[in-house]
Amino acid sequence: MEESTKQLAKMLGDRIRSLRLDLGLSQEQLGERSGLHTNYIGQIERGEKNLTLETLLKIARSLGTSLEQLLHSIDPLDPHTPLGEIVVMLSERPATDQALVLALMKTVFSWEEEKRK
């Protein structure tokens, strides 16, 4: 593996390990959930394997998360851009606040569309 690919594989493996541990799962349990061998899970977490999208999807689903969330911390949005700032602010708020902001955004965008007509 090329050095940058090794670094990416290590960061992804660290992220998978962190999510697995947050759920209180062993490597064996994650392997059972995802249909992957326990040794392979260990290799992934150590950054020794270059994963396919299919394997990433299996792991994400087994961890109860999306590919987006799995990869978020690996290549996050720039928090100094407007979109990045919005994402950071919303990610720190409870789901009820996020739903409220979403409803507000839909209302504002709908109102803007009506103004343009």
Side-chain angles (χ1 to χ4, degrees), residues 3-50:
E3 192 57 37
S4 62
T5 304
K6 286 181 183 178
Q7 226 175 356
L8 183 60
K10 178 68 175 127
M11 289 170 36
L12 183 56
D14 289 344
R15 174 76 172 145
I16 290 168
R17 178 183 292 117
S18 174
L19 291 171
R20 176 180 61 77
L21 293 174
D22 286 349
L23 291 173
L25 296 174
S26 66
Q27 287 181 345
E28 184 177 90
Q29 290 168 316
L30 179 58
E32 288 171 7
R33 285 183 172 200
S34 62
L36 302 170
H37 194 278
T38 304
N39 292 342
Y40 189 58
I41 297 293
Q43 291 171 323
I44 291 168
E45 289 186 356
R46 291 188 300 275
E48 297 170 356
K49 290 293 179 183
N50 194 2

Side-chain angles (χ1 to χ4, degrees), residues 71-82:
L71 298 174
H72 176 71
S73 66
I74 308 250
D75 188 22
L77 286 170
D78 180 352
H80 299 99
T81 64

Side-chain angles (χ1 to χ4, degrees), residues 75-92:
D75 188 22
L77 286 170
D78 180 352
H80 299 99
T81 64
L83 181 58
E85 194 172 341
I86 290 167
V87 170
V88 168
M89 287 175 69
L90 284 176
S91 67
E92 295 171 349

Side-chain angles (χ1 to χ4, degrees), residues 105-117:
M105 287 175 60
K106 287 180 178 179
T107 300
V108 168
F109 294 154
S110 174
W111 177 71
E112 281 293 317
E113 279 295 314
E114 288 299 317
K115 273 183 27 181
R116 290 183 193 145
K117 290 181 181 179

